[in-house]
Amino acid sequence: MTIALTDLPVTAGPVFVPGDEGYAAEVASWNVATQHEPHVVVGATDAQDVAAAVRWAGTHGMPVAVQATGHGAVRPVTGGLLVTTGRMTAVSVDPVTRTARAAAGARWTQVVEAAAAHGLAPLNGSSTHVGVVGYTLGGGAGPLGRRYGFAADHVRSIEIVTADGALRTVDADHEADLFWAVRGGKGNFGIVTEIEFGLFEVAGFFGGGIHFPGSHAAEVLHAYRAWVAGLPEEMSTSVALLRLPPLPLLPEPLRGAYVAHLRVAYLGTAEDGEALLAPMRAAAPALVDDVLWRPYSAVDSVHQDPVDPLPSRERGVLLGELTAQTVDHVLEVAGPQVEVPLMMVEIRHLGGAFARTPATPNAVSGRGAQYSLFAIGPGLPELAPVVDEVTDRLLAVETMPGGLMNFSGHAAPETLLANWATADRDRLLRIKRSYDPTNVFSSGQALVG
């Protein structure tokens, strides 16, 4: 498609078309397996730029996609208009009301730092390098979730540009249907330009990670299965089987190793945390034990997610219980004795506040699950069929209906819709038809094809 240079969107931010210097950098995603090729990309600087871009796309009959950091880029944008929001990074914290406001391109690290100055913490995810908006709209299951629930549960208001190019502010009292749908339905209803959400009085926590040798993976996973059943909601945990790269930045015992990585975040005293953790410390010898009392600003130490861009392909399912048979199956498919192209296989403990309906209900899916089983493989085109085949085998366990949007990866629209019970699914589609009748927002994790 050829677009005349005299007929491009008029915005304060830059506009690129294929062939322009800067185009490739503008469309690049953190997940480098996803290569976007839009006809036009707008580097938005504010909500007015976003609205102007969407209105322009409407006059040209173009679909619209949005990207902040590209951590959640699971499907490439081909053609149409891409709005990038990485220049919209404003963050503010109100310590009196214990709330924060974040613009479309802000990252959690900004919110964590701003909130920590007041002894407060947000419900960020496993990595603070992820964008605030995309993570929250997908639900957001983070290290404090068993105590406080999903990040979306604590959103107070949302500023959003809908398919007609209108800039709206929605909350529980204003366009409540749209407010319900966006919190959980991700980017299917418009481009969120700003979000306001609650913070919590958390200055520090007892947490971090323990890396166990892969040779003890079976003992660790079976011990974990028995251990988590009795944990209080103040303790959020996960355990992952990791195939670590041979990078110099990793401690020598972990370099190029297969390990079982226990992740812990406890909102209680260090003394109580030590007592709660004792059964897992006794499960196997540790290569590295980094669980201690730390300020919340060090929350990235829990999961130790990679910071640099990489190609990934991911998918997960939900479990009603974690049985010995499920653990054995995970070890059979992805244990240390087999060579499979999976960088991580994670079991995450949910339940607690994750399972409770928030004061202002939303469209977050997967609320009744007790665990998630999630896998990430390298997103290289030549490996995709093998990664998918191994992931299929791994996830062939006794699951429960539904799924988490942020853990659904590149699933097709019909699979994504199965994340919700029938009544919520029908409501989402009804709201989608009302606000986006021509399916302008049809990229990424689209609910309709």
PDB file of all heavy atoms in Angstrom, residues 116-135:
ATOM      1  N   ALA A 116       7.796   4.012  46.098  1.00  0.00           N
ATOM      2  CA  ALA A 116       8.674   3.625  47.204  1.00  0.00           C
ATOM      3  C   ALA A 116       9.069   4.817  48.064  1.00  0.00           C
ATOM      4  O   ALA A 116       9.296   4.665  49.276  1.00  0.00           O
ATOM      5  CB  ALA A 116       9.920   2.933  46.657  1.00  0.00           C
ATOM      6  N   ALA A 117       9.122   5.991  47.459  1.00  0.00           N
ATOM      7  CA  ALA A 117       9.466   7.199  48.215  1.00  0.00           C
ATOM      8  C   ALA A 117       8.447   7.497  49.308  1.00  0.00           C
ATOM      9  O   ALA A 117       8.732   8.242  50.255  1.00  0.00           O
ATOM     10  CB  ALA A 117       9.572   8.394  47.263  1.00  0.00           C
ATOM     11  N   HIS A 118       7.250   6.896  49.211  1.00  0.00           N
ATOM     12  CA  HIS A 118       6.182   7.118  50.184  1.00  0.00           C
ATOM     13  C   HIS A 118       5.822   5.834  50.941  1.00  0.00           C
ATOM     14  O   HIS A 118       4.778   5.773  51.585  1.00  0.00           O
ATOM     15  CB  HIS A 118       4.944   7.654  49.469  1.00  0.00           C
ATOM     16  CG  HIS A 118       5.212   8.879  48.645  1.00  0.00           C
ATOM     17  ND1 HIS A 118       5.387  10.127  49.201  1.00  0.00           N
ATOM     18  CD2 HIS A 118       5.369   9.032  47.297  1.00  0.00           C
ATOM     19  CE1 HIS A 118       5.614  11.011  48.240  1.00  0.00           C
ATOM     20  NE2 HIS A 118       5.620  10.367  47.083  1.00  0.00           N
ATOM     21  N   GLY A 119       6.689   4.809  50.847  1.00  0.00           N
ATOM     22  CA  GLY A 119       6.408   3.548  51.523  1.00  0.00           C
ATOM     23  C   GLY A 119       5.265   2.780  50.892  1.00  0.00           C
ATOM     24  O   GLY A 119       4.598   1.985  51.558  1.00  0.00           O
ATOM     25  N   LEU A 120       5.041   2.998  49.599  1.00  0.00           N
ATOM     26  CA  LEU A 120       3.939   2.363  48.891  1.00  0.00           C
ATOM     27  C   LEU A 120       4.461   1.459  47.776  1.00  0.00           C
ATOM     28  O   LEU A 120       5.614   1.582  47.343  1.00  0.00           O
ATOM     29  CB  LEU A 120       3.013   3.424  48.293  1.00  0.00           C
ATOM     30  CG  LEU A 120       2.355   4.389  49.287  1.00  0.00           C
ATOM     31  CD1 LEU A 120       1.641   5.520  48.553  1.00  0.00           C
ATOM     32  CD2 LEU A 120       1.388   3.639  50.198  1.00  0.00           C
ATOM     33  N   ALA A 121       3.593   0.578  47.278  1.00  0.00           N
ATOM     34  CA  ALA A 121       3.971  -0.334  46.195  1.00  0.00           C
ATOM     35  C   ALA A 121       2.780  -0.583  45.288  1.00  0.00           C
ATOM     36  O   ALA A 121       1.634  -0.636  45.750  1.00  0.00           O
ATOM     37  CB  ALA A 121       4.471  -1.659  46.758  1.00  0.00           C
ATOM     38  N   PRO A 122       3.023  -0.751  43.991  1.00  0.00           N
ATOM     39  CA  PRO A 122       1.965  -1.124  43.056  1.00  0.00           C
ATOM     40  C   PRO A 122       1.898  -2.636  42.897  1.00  0.00           C
ATOM     41  O   PRO A 122       2.758  -3.361  43.422  1.00  0.00           O
ATOM     42  CB  PRO A 122       2.428  -0.477  41.750  1.00  0.00           C
ATOM     43  CG  PRO A 122       3.932  -0.635  41.818  1.00  0.00           C
ATOM     44  CD  PRO A 122       4.292  -0.488  43.280  1.00  0.00           C
ATOM     45  N   LEU A 123       0.904  -3.108  42.142  1.00  0.00           N
ATOM     46  CA  LEU A 123       0.793  -4.541  41.847  1.00  0.00           C
ATOM     47  C   LEU A 123       1.417  -4.827  40.490  1.00  0.00           C
ATOM     48  O   LEU A 123       0.761  -5.260  39.544  1.00  0.00           O
ATOM     49  CB  LEU A 123      -0.673  -4.975  41.889  1.00  0.00           C
ATOM     50  CG  LEU A 123      -1.361  -4.851  43.238  1.00  0.00           C
ATOM     51  CD1 LEU A 123      -2.778  -5.422  43.181  1.00  0.00           C
ATOM     52  CD2 LEU A 123      -0.562  -5.535  44.349  1.00  0.00           C
ATOM     53  N   ASN A 124       2.713  -4.596  40.377  1.00  0.00           N
ATOM     54  CA  ASN A 124       3.445  -4.873  39.148  1.00  0.00           C
ATOM     55  C   ASN A 124       3.609  -6.368  38.954  1.00  0.00           C
ATOM     56  O   ASN A 124       3.277  -7.173  39.825  1.00  0.00           O
ATOM     57  CB  ASN A 124       4.817  -4.210  39.212  1.00  0.00           C
ATOM     58  CG  ASN A 124       5.595  -4.641  40.444  1.00  0.00           C
ATOM     59  OD1 ASN A 124       5.418  -4.050  41.508  1.00  0.00           O
ATOM     60  ND2 ASN A 124       6.430  -5.655  40.324  1.00  0.00           N
ATOM     61  N   GLY A 125       4.145  -6.733  37.795  1.00  0.00           N
ATOM     62  CA  GLY A 125       4.358  -8.137  37.487  1.00  0.00           C
ATOM     63  C   GLY A 125       5.732  -8.621  37.864  1.00  0.00           C
ATOM     64  O   GLY A 125       6.442  -8.002  38.663  1.00  0.00           O
ATOM     65  N   SER A 126       6.129  -9.736  37.273  1.00  0.00           N
ATOM     66  CA  SER A 126       7.408 -10.350  37.619  1.00  0.00           C
ATOM     67  C   SER A 126       8.600  -9.514  37.182  1.00  0.00           C
ATOM     68  O   SER A 126       9.692  -9.652  37.729  1.00  0.00           O
ATOM     69  CB  SER A 126       7.499 -11.744  36.989  1.00  0.00           C
ATOM     70  OG  SER A 126       7.384 -11.669  35.582  1.00  0.00           O
ATOM     71  N   SER A 127       8.397  -8.632  36.198  1.00  0.00           N
ATOM     72  CA  SER A 127       9.454  -7.737  35.740  1.00  0.00           C
ATOM     73  C   SER A 127       8.948  -6.308  35.729  1.00  0.00           C
ATOM     74  O   SER A 127       7.898  -6.017  35.143  1.00  0.00           O
ATOM     75  CB  SER A 127       9.915  -8.118  34.328  1.00  0.00           C
ATOM     76  OG  SER A 127      10.754  -7.113  33.781  1.00  0.00           O
ATOM     77  N   THR A 128       9.686  -5.387  36.338  1.00  0.00           N
ATOM     78  CA  THR A 128       9.268  -3.982  36.333  1.00  0.00           C
ATOM     79  C   THR A 128       9.620  -3.285  35.025  1.00  0.00           C
ATOM     80  O   THR A 128       9.284  -2.122  34.848  1.00  0.00           O
ATOM     81  CB  THR A 128       9.903  -3.207  37.503  1.00  0.00           C
ATOM     82  OG1 THR A 128      11.321  -3.177  37.345  1.00  0.00           O
ATOM     83  CG2 THR A 128       9.529  -3.831  38.834  1.00  0.00           C
ATOM     84  N   HIS A 129      10.257  -3.990  34.102  1.00  0.00           N
ATOM     85  CA  HIS A 129      10.571  -3.400  32.800  1.00  0.00           C
ATOM     86  C   HIS A 129       9.377  -3.473  31.845  1.00  0.00           C
ATOM     87  O   HIS A 129       9.403  -2.898  30.759  1.00  0.00           O
ATOM     88  CB  HIS A 129      11.785  -4.097  32.185  1.00  0.00           C
ATOM     89  CG  HIS A 129      13.041  -3.888  32.962  1.00  0.00           C
ATOM     90  ND1 HIS A 129      13.848  -2.790  32.789  1.00  0.00           N
ATOM     91  CD2 HIS A 129      13.596  -4.612  33.968  1.00  0.00           C
ATOM     92  CE1 HIS A 129      14.869  -2.859  33.631  1.00  0.00           C
ATOM     93  NE2 HIS A 129      14.740  -3.954  34.351  1.00  0.00           N
ATOM     94  N   VAL A 130       8.345  -4.171  32.247  1.00  0.00           N
ATOM     95  CA  VAL A 130       7.127  -4.307  31.439  1.00  0.00           C
ATOM     96  C   VAL A 130       6.296  -3.035  31.540  1.00  0.00           C
ATOM     97  O   VAL A 130       6.315  -2.334  32.554  1.00  0.00           O
ATOM     98  CB  VAL A 130       6.321  -5.530  31.924  1.00  0.00           C
ATOM     99  CG1 VAL A 130       4.949  -5.595  31.294  1.00  0.00           C
ATOM    100  CG2 VAL A 130       7.107  -6.809  31.643  1.00  0.00           C
ATOM    101  N   GLY A 131       5.530  -2.728  30.486  1.00  0.00           N
ATOM    102  CA  GLY A 131       4.659  -1.566  30.495  1.00  0.00           C
ATOM    103  C   GLY A 131       3.501  -1.720  31.455  1.00  0.00           C
ATOM    104  O   GLY A 131       2.946  -2.813  31.616  1.00  0.00           O
ATOM    105  N   VAL A 132       3.118  -0.612  32.091  1.00  0.00           N
ATOM    106  CA  VAL A 132       2.032  -0.622  33.074  1.00  0.00           C
ATOM    107  C   VAL A 132       0.699  -0.975  32.424  1.00  0.00           C
ATOM    108  O   VAL A 132      -0.050  -1.834  32.909  1.00  0.00           O
ATOM    109  CB  VAL A 132       1.932   0.748  33.771  1.00  0.00           C
ATOM    110  CG1 VAL A 132       0.689   0.826  34.666  1.00  0.00           C
ATOM    111  CG2 VAL A 132       3.190   1.038  34.570  1.00  0.00           C
ATOM    112  N   VAL A 133       0.379  -0.316  31.316  1.00  0.00           N
ATOM    113  CA  VAL A 133      -0.968  -0.404  30.747  1.00  0.00           C
ATOM    114  C   VAL A 133      -1.268  -1.790  30.194  1.00  0.00           C
ATOM    115  O   VAL A 133      -2.273  -2.421  30.547  1.00  0.00           O
ATOM    116  CB  VAL A 133      -1.175   0.680  29.683  1.00  0.00           C
ATOM    117  CG1 VAL A 133      -2.459   0.418  28.893  1.00  0.00           C
ATOM    118  CG2 VAL A 133      -1.260   2.051  30.342  1.00  0.00           C
ATOM    119  N   GLY A 134      -0.421  -2.300  29.306  1.00  0.00           N
ATOM    120  CA  GLY A 134      -0.700  -3.594  28.694  1.00  0.00           C
ATOM    121  C   GLY A 134      -0.817  -4.707  29.714  1.00  0.00           C
ATOM    122  O   GLY A 134      -1.711  -5.558  29.635  1.00  0.00           O
ATOM    123  N   TYR A 135       0.093  -4.712  30.677  1.00  0.00           N
ATOM    124  CA  TYR A 135       0.066  -5.718  31.738  1.00  0.00           C
ATOM    125  C   TYR A 135      -1.239  -5.651  32.524  1.00  0.00           C
ATOM    126  O   TYR A 135      -1.889  -6.675  32.777  1.00  0.00           O
ATOM    127  CB  TYR A 135       1.260  -5.484  32.659  1.00  0.00           C
ATOM    128  CG  TYR A 135       1.218  -6.223  33.974  1.00  0.00           C
ATOM    129  CD1 TYR A 135       1.661  -7.534  34.070  1.00  0.00           C
ATOM    130  CD2 TYR A 135       0.747  -5.598  35.129  1.00  0.00           C
ATOM    131  CE1 TYR A 135       1.629  -8.213  35.282  1.00  0.00           C
ATOM    132  CE2 TYR A 135       0.713  -6.265  36.345  1.00  0.00           C
ATOM    133  CZ  TYR A 135       1.155  -7.568  36.417  1.00  0.00           C
ATOM    134  OH  TYR A 135       1.114  -8.232  37.619  1.00  0.00           O
TER     135      TYR A 135
END
